[in-house]
Amino acid sequence: MNKFKAYVRKNIVFVSILSVFLVIILGIGIFYITQNQGTTKPAKDPTASDKTPVKKETNISSFSGHFNGEDSINLIWSVDEQKAKVQRLELYYNKNILADVSSLLSYELPLSTYQLTTGTNKFVLKAYLSDGKVITKEADVAVDYVLSPSNTLTPSGDGFLLNFSYKFGTANPVGIPSISYTYGSKGNAAAAKVVYRTTTTNTLDSIFTQAKTEYFLDTSKLADGDYSLNIRYFFKNVDESYDFTIDFTVKKNSGEPNGSANPQPSETPSDENSNTDENQ
């Protein structure tokens, strides 16, 4: 201990300078540590979400429709109402208002009543909100180009008259249907022949036209008996077809033949043993 004191006395200047350096280094170290502690970011909670919650706004969540296959279009919709309330809901067609549907979730539109046509019909649902905004949503509904198809079979001479009746949109002509047929479940009608005769039309109003296409089913080369044919009428212009099954009886030795037609759609005829009249 005495030696240490003696060393310090002899080297007082050196020891003083060394002490100053140590104090400075210690001060710098303390300053650095305190500064880093002040700027260190807290550990991130892994369960916390980075995304700010999105405020949902009132919107028309769905709007669609379909043609019922007969004579009307059915529209349905839903509205997701948030802070802004729906004050009025209107249905439009071709920029014209059809109805105020504020209290409804669906609407049926007969084609003739609302002058809807074949092909694509565009509807707009418009909602007026309490915050002054107006939101809209569109729906396209396709209507068959050929409507109300029906088929009749009438005895005539050595065969039958096939009359195919249908409607179409006056603005969307469908042309004359071609006919193809295959043998049905009764008899072998390979010798039968179907020939196009004529098509007549009658304009019902500014929207629809009624048409009737007539064919002749020649059974003169068939033996007496019961037969059936699967008939398909095809509209090339609009790529639509309609199928029927006809049953008929040939009785050459007992007067006029007789027959009947099934007005309901039949199973799709196969291509095997098929015949076609293109009506050109």
Side-chain angles (χ1 to χ4, degrees), residues 22-280:
L22 289 175
V23 170
I24 292 173
I25 292 172
L26 181 61
I28 292 174
I30 294 173
F31 175 79
Y32 179 78
I33 292 172
T34 56
Q35 287 298 311
N36 280 347
Q37 286 179 342
T39 58
T40 300
K41 295 182 179 179
K44 185 176 180 180
D45 183 357
T47 62
S49 174
D50 290 333
K51 296 182 179 179
T52 303
V54 178
K55 293 182 179 179
K56 294 187 66 177
E57 296 184 350
T58 298
N59 65 92
I60 301 172
S61 53
S62 66
F63 179 40
S64 62
H66 70 277
F67 173 56
N68 68 0
E70 295 293 334
D71 57 5
S72 65
I73 287 176
N74 295 96
L75 298 173
I76 57 173
W77 59 84
S78 62
V79 178
D80 183 9
E81 197 173 61
Q82 299 295 321
K83 184 176 180 180
K85 304 303 179 184
V86 176
Q87 295 184 322
R88 190 168 77 257
L89 195 62
E90 295 176 343
L91 183 63
Y92 285 79
Y93 174 70
N94 284 344
K95 298 182 179 181
N96 298 317
I97 185 171
L98 296 180
D100 184 324
V101 293
S102 301
S103 60
L104 304 175
L105 294 175
S106 64
Y107 201 77
E108 182 175 359
L109 301 103
L111 300 182
S112 296
T113 302
Y114 289 92
Q115 295 190 334
L116 307 177
T117 187
T118 56
T120 300
N121 291 268
K122 184 181 293 292
F123 299 92
V124 177
L125 191 63
K126 184 179 294 187
Y128 296 83
L129 308 183
S130 58
D131 60 3
K133 293 182 179 179
V134 179
I135 57 176
T136 63
K137 200 173 186 68
E138 296 182 354
D140 291 338
V141 182
V143 174
D144 294 344
Y145 285 97
V146 178
L147 303 173
S148 305
S150 64
N151 190 64
T152 60
L153 182 69
T154 306
S156 177
D158 290 331
F160 300 85
L161 290 180
L162 276 171
N163 285 302
F164 179 53
S165 299
Y166 51 95
K167 288 195 306 183
F168 61 88
T170 304
N172 298 313
V174 295
I176 298 173
S178 62
I179 188 172
S180 61
Y181 51 97
T182 59
Y183 317 141
S185 59
K186 298 178 182 179
N188 184 350
K193 186 177 181 181
V194 178
V195 181
Y196 170 75
R197 281 196 168 180
T198 185
T199 294
T200 57
T201 59
N202 177 32
T203 302
L204 301 176
D205 49 40
S206 60
I207 304 298
F208 295 107
T209 296
Q210 181 70 46
K212 182 174 71 173
T213 297
E214 183 179 280
Y215 295 86
F216 179 68
L217 171 59
D218 184 354
T219 62
S220 61
K221 295 183 179 181
L222 294 181
D224 287 2
D226 295 328
Y227 299 89
S228 64
L229 288 177
N230 297 317
I231 301 290
R232 166 169 290 182
Y233 299 99
F234 177 63
F235 293 86
K236 183 178 180 180
N237 290 0
V238 294
D239 194 26
E240 289 183 5
S241 61
Y242 298 87
D243 300 337
F244 297 87
T245 295
I246 59 172
D247 298 315
F248 58 94
T249 301
V250 176
K251 294 181 179 179
K252 295 180 180 178
N253 299 325
S254 58
E256 291 290 327
N258 58 76
S260 62
N262 179 3
Q264 300 300 320
S266 68
E267 295 294 329
T268 301
S270 64
D271 292 333
E272 183 180 1
N273 300 324
S274 65
N275 295 275
T276 302
D277 182 354
E278 295 293 344
N279 309 324
Q280 295 179 345

